[in-house]
Structures are given as structure tokens and as C-alpha cells.
Amino acid sequence: MPSELEAFFCFAKFIEESCPLYVQPTLEGVHRGLKLLDRCLKIVDPELYAYLRSKNLSAEIYAFPSVLTLCACTPPLDQVLLLWDFLLAFGVHLNVLCVIAQLLLMRDEVMRSSSPMRLLRTFPPLEALPVIGIAVTLVRDLPTELYDELVRHPYATHD
């Protein structure tokens, strides 16, 4: 953008239009996204989902920063920017699937760990292209109704 002012205006407009529920005082969109992450993970990788649940780990516990920041909490910045280009082009709702993709990329290590929260506290450095590739592939595995809910969760006040 030509100026910081224009960049801020565009970012504010993006948030207002694409994910207003993510910036409500209650963070309603974020919490809905976390619930959807659990539901999607249960479908795309029931074994990983069951293992995390056996350790009392829900998305609410391990994925809150990633969902809240649209993965901006996972460096490096150049990869975050690539991922954000994808989210801006195809929809903020796909962030939930991008977080699942990151989980799947570290799946073996998580499944071998007796304390997976240690691993999940800080995700490995973001690699945008593999994450995007996996996220796009996951779309086809979701039931239509669940995907529709995923699409609406950042902005629709009623499901």
C-alpha cells in the first residue's frame, strides 16, 4: 500500500467484512472456529482427534492463538504473508483448516508424545505452501453442512 493509513483502512475493512465475529468482545467467531476445528479434525483424522481428546486436549486449549491470529502467531513472517494471501483470496474460514493442516504436518510427533501439549504450545515454523495444499484437500472430506458452517462462522450471527 502507498501509505500506512491506506493499509490500516484496508485491514480494518477486511476485518469488518470478513471476520467481524473474531473481534467482538466475546471473540465469538474465534470460539466458534475452535469448536469447528474439533469437529473437522474428528472427521479428517479420527485417530489424532481421539488421541488429543484422551489427553484432555481440545482445540480451545491448543489452537486458540492460531485461530485468533489467523496463524500470524507462527513465524516466519514471510510464510504468514503467503498464507494470508491465500486466506484473503479464498476465505478467512479456511484458517481453521490451515491449523488442522499444521497439526497433520506434525501428526507423527504428536502421536508419539506422552505430553502432546508441549509440542502444541509452539507449532513448528510455518510452511505456507504445504499447509495450503493440505487445507484445500481437506475441504473435500467435510460434509457440505459442516463446510457451510465453517464458511459462515467468522461473520454470521446465526447458524
Side-chain angles (χ1 to χ4, degrees), residues 102-111 119-120 123-124:
Q102 289 177 80
L103 278 175
L104 295 177
L105 287 169
M106 58 191 293
R107 180 189 197 280
D108 293 343
E109 201 177 350
V110 169
M111 293 293 286
L119 296 170
L120 299 174
F123 281 16

Side-chain angles (χ1 to χ4, degrees), residues 41 44-45 48 74 79 83 97-112 119-120 123-135 138:
L41 183 60
V44 302
D45 193 333
L48 178 57
T74 307
Q79 295 299 300
L83 187 64
L97 299 182
C98 289
V99 177
I100 292 175
Q102 289 177 80
L103 278 175
L104 295 177
L105 287 169
M106 58 191 293
R107 180 189 197 280
D108 293 343
E109 201 177 350
V110 169
M111 293 293 286
R112 281 194 305 269
L119 296 170
L120 299 174
F123 281 16
L126 182 65
E127 294 180 62
L129 293 180
V131 165
I132 291 166
I134 293 167
L138 293 176

Side-chain angles (χ1 to χ4, degrees), residues 11-109:
F11 184 72
K13 195 77 174 150
F14 158 70
I15 295 295
E16 289 168 16
E17 305 266 330
S18 297
C19 53
L21 296 181
Y22 272 57
V23 293
Q24 296 298 309
T26 60
L27 302 176
E28 181 185 345
V30 176
H31 292 290
R32 290 165 86 188
L34 292 162
K35 285 182 179 76
L36 286 162
L37 195 153
D38 277 333
R39 290 172 55 203
C40 292
L41 183 60
K42 187 176 184 179
I43 289 167
V44 302
D45 193 333
E47 185 183 13
L48 178 57
Y49 172 80
Y51 182 69
L52 292 171
R53 294 304 296 158
S54 77
K55 301 292 185 182
N56 292 318
L57 294 175
S58 65
E60 197 73 49
I61 294 168
Y62 65 81
F64 186 86
S66 295
V67 173
L68 173 69
T69 65
L70 306 178
C71 293
C73 62
T74 307
L77 181 59
D78 67 314
Q79 295 299 300
V80 171
L81 296 176
L82 285 174
L83 187 64
W84 275 32
D85 281 346
F86 166 72
L87 295 175
L88 285 167
F90 294 97
V92 173
H93 65 283
L94 291 171
N95 181 53
V96 169
L97 299 182
C98 289
V99 177
I100 292 175
Q102 289 177 80
L103 278 175
L104 295 177
L105 287 169
M106 58 191 293
R107 180 189 197 280
D108 293 343
E109 201 177 350

